[in-house]
């Protein structure tokens, strides 16, 4: 009689290490054990160790794409209908779209995992499904950080719903000590800049921007996506045109007078240095916080919307909203006040953007309210 079929899912290489420590190599290499890697890096790692894993491709077909997109559309529409808000500056779409965008991004990850689990189970009829347990880490911001592991939780819920035995191996987590020295130094630098540098130099820096504003520069929201090249072309055609670019904390290439391969921007508007001077309307912020709180509660009670293949992921979305996406959206409220201060100080003749996300959306709405010309030059179009 053949051994019962076992499926083992791996999302990250460190999960492979954790699993191999708990199981003998003969068990792992058994014909009745199928290893399924969920990303190319993990697949390569397994092969280097001498294993023959399957990829997730056979378990996520074109029909899978269609099914998961229909569900994510339902989620997006449901969230969109419950996120009406306008701040004291009149900014509305940026908040609404950000909440929908990042909830949908998170939902896509969960739907992808659930669809793979479903299709692999239908194909192989396993007796046991194994995966690493998901750690209880707080969501790392509005995106999905490497320490956020949801596979184990979904495997457990899926196994319970389908009547399949589940074995969760010890929790594998991405350690902070795995960060590069450069990443840690950057975080320390940002902390010092926000708490010490910005409050000290903000008034003098705004005085500098007022002087730049006397020339009514053309303001770019970024120099990425070849927007720096657009600025250089404009400089060649109109040499007396002053140009500035928005940035969080700066770029060393700015101020090099448009030489080949260098920046054409006369100055860089560091939003981080203006933050201490920006007056955030607290009543407006509290209204936004109340909306996010209400939305989190409603998500928790909407299992019909936030479920797929019989598995509810409502609580995972609520937690992500409360601890990751919500704080980020609230930071956009502060950023709106900072961008309004920048526009009042710099008095640009027009604003050019390469995208329509976060700061760019806020800037566009503020420009529209002020009657200031603004243009989106979509990245990839030039």
């Amino acid at each position: 009689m053949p051994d019962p079929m076992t499926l083992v899912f791996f999302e990250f290489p460190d999960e492979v290490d954790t699993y191999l420590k708990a199981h003998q190599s003969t068990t792992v290499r058994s014909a009745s054990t199928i290893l399924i890697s969920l990303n190319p890096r993990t697949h390569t790692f397994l092969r280097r160790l001498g294993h023959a894993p399957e990829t997730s491709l056979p378990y996520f077909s074109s029909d899978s794409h269609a099914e998961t997109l229909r569900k994510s559309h339902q989620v997006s529409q449901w969230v969109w209908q419950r996120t009406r808000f306008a701040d004291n500056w009149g900014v509305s779409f940026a908040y609404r779209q950000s909440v929908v965008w990042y909830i949908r991004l998170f939902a896509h990850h969960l739907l992808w995992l659930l669809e793979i689990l479903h299709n692999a189970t239908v194909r192989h009829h396993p007796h046991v499904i194994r995966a690493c347990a998901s750690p209880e880490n707080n969501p790392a911001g509005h995106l999905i950080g490497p320490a956020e592991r949801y596979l184990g939780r979904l495997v457990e819920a899926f196994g319970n719903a389908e009547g399949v035995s589940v074995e969760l191996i010890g929790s594998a987590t991405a350690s902070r000590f795995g960060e590069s020295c450069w990443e840690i130094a950057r975080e320390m630098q940002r902390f010092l800049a926000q708490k010490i540098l910005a409050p000290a130099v903000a008034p003098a820096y705004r005085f500098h921007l007022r002087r730049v504003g006397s020339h009514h520069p053309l303001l770019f929201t970024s120099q990425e996506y070849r927007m720096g090249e657009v600025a250089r072309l404009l400089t060649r055609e109109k040499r007396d045109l002053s140009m500035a670019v928005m940035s969080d904390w700066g770029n060393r290439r700015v101020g090099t007078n448009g030489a080949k391969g260098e920046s054409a921007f006369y100055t860089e508007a560091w939003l981080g240095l203006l933050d201490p001077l920006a007056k955030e309307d607290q009543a407006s912020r509290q209204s936004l916080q109340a909306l996010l709180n209400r939305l989190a509660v409603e998500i928790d009670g909407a299992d019909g919307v936030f479920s797929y293949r019989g598995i509810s992921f409502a609580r995972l979305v609520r937690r992500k909203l409360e601890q990751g996406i919500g704080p980020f959206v609230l930071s956009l409220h502060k950023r709106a006040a900072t961008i309004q201060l920048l526009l009042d100080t710099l008095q640009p003749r027009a604003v050019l953007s390469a995208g329509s996300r976060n700061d760019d959306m806020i800037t566009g709405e503020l420009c529209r309210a002020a009657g200031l010309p603004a243009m989106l030059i979509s990245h990839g179009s030039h």
Side-chain angles (χ1 to χ4, degrees):
M1 181 175 179
D3 293 333
M5 180 64 68
T6 298
L7 295 182
V8 188
F9 293 91
F10 300 107
E11 191 172 4
F12 297 94
D14 55 47
E15 296 174 352
V16 175
D17 288 332
T18 301
Y19 179 78
L20 294 179
K21 290 176 183 177
H23 291 270
Q24 297 178 354
S25 60
T26 54
T27 303
V28 176
R29 299 176 191 276
S30 168
S32 62
T33 299
I34 298 177
L35 310 180
I36 300 176
S37 62
L38 299 180
N39 72 51
R41 187 161 56 108
T42 305
H43 185 79
T44 301
F45 185 71
L46 279 162
R47 288 184 64 85
R48 285 177 178 171
L49 293 175
H51 300 288
E54 293 190 11
T55 70
S56 60
L57 291 177
Y59 309 108
F60 201 84
S61 64
S62 295
D63 288 340
S64 296
H65 277 278
E67 286 296 320
T68 53
L69 284 174
R70 276 191 281 270
K71 169 52 71 171
S72 77
H73 178 70
Q74 181 190 12
V75 168
S76 299
Q77 292 296 105
W78 187 92
V79 175
W80 179 266
Q81 294 167 4
R82 289 161 176 79
T83 50
R84 294 182 178 88
F85 170 80
D87 69 10
N88 56 300
W89 304 110
V91 175
S92 175
F93 185 81
Y95 302 113
R96 197 176 192 183
Q97 180 65 14
S98 293
V99 174
V100 172
W101 176 271
Y102 293 112
I103 286 180
R104 189 175 194 183
L105 172 68
F106 183 64
H108 277 174
H109 179 63
L110 304 180
L111 294 171
W112 172 70
L113 291 173
L114 286 170
E115 180 70 4
I116 291 171
L117 287 172
H118 169 78
N119 289 332
T121 301
V122 168
R123 177 175 297 190
H124 297 293
H125 305 286
H127 178 71
V128 178
I129 300 177
R130 291 174 179 156
C132 280
S134 298
E136 290 294 330
N137 289 332
N138 291 330
H142 56 297
L143 301 176
I144 303 174
E148 292 183 67
R149 308 287 175 93
Y150 299 99
L151 176 61
R153 296 180 196 178
L154 294 180
V155 164
E156 189 172 21
F158 187 84
N160 291 336
E162 296 294 322
V164 179
S165 297
V166 171
E167 294 180 9
L168 296 179
I169 314 304
S171 175
T173 63
S175 170
R176 180 172 176 79
F177 293 104
E179 290 184 286
S180 69
C181 293
W182 180 83
E183 291 172 325
I184 296 173
R186 186 179 63 174
E187 290 185 16
M188 293 176 61
Q189 185 182 45
R190 181 178 292 272
F191 175 81
L192 294 173
Q194 290 175 333
K195 301 300 181 182
I196 298 175
L197 176 63
V201 306
Y205 184 66
R206 190 185 182 197
F207 177 77
H208 161 70
L209 290 181
R210 280 199 182 110
R211 295 180 61 184
V212 174
S214 65
H215 301 287
H216 299 290
L218 187 62
L219 178 63
F220 287 68
T221 63
S222 171
Q223 58 182 323
E224 304 301 326
Y225 301 110
R226 292 176 53 83
M227 292 299 280
E229 181 62 26
V230 172
R232 280 191 288 272
L233 291 172
L234 289 173
T235 299
R236 296 189 194 112
E237 293 184 9
K238 192 172 178 58
R239 294 187 177 277
D240 62 341
L241 181 63
S242 175
M243 279 178 280
V245 59
M246 286 168 51
S247 174
D248 197 6
W249 285 105
N251 186 305
R252 289 176 295 177
R253 293 182 298 161
V254 169
T256 49
N257 299 319
K260 186 176 180 180
E262 298 178 333
S263 174
F265 299 108
Y266 175 75
T267 194
E268 188 163 359
W270 293 11
L271 298 174
L273 287 183
L274 288 177
D275 275 339
L277 300 178
K279 304 299 182 184
E280 185 179 15
D281 187 284
Q282 292 304 310
S284 175
R285 181 184 177 88
Q286 290 170 10
S287 295
L288 178 57
Q289 179 69 77
L291 180 144
L292 295 170
N293 292 344
R294 184 171 63 252
L295 179 62
V297 172
E298 292 182 8
I299 287 173
D300 207 11
D303 285 326
V305 176
F306 295 90
S307 63
Y308 187 70
R309 299 295 188 187
I311 308 301
S312 172
F313 53 92
R315 292 198 173 183
L316 292 177
V317 176
R318 174 179 180 169
R319 186 166 177 262
K320 182 66 174 177
L321 175 63
E322 290 178 330
Q323 300 182 26
I325 297 170
F328 172 76
V329 172
L330 282 173
S331 76
L332 294 180
H333 190 275
K334 171 64 175 179
R335 183 47 56 96
T338 303
I339 294 174
Q340 182 63 57
L341 177 63
L342 173 64
L343 295 176
D344 291 342
T345 303
L346 206 56
Q347 294 292 305
R349 64 184 66 199
V351 177
L352 276 69
S353 171
S356 56
R357 185 81 40 229
N358 305 334
D359 289 6
D360 294 300
M361 283 194 293
I362 290 172
T363 305
E365 290 193 73
L366 292 174
C367 287
R368 182 175 60 187
L372 182 63
M375 179 184 294
L376 169 64
I377 305 178
S378 178
H379 58 82
S381 65
H382 61 93

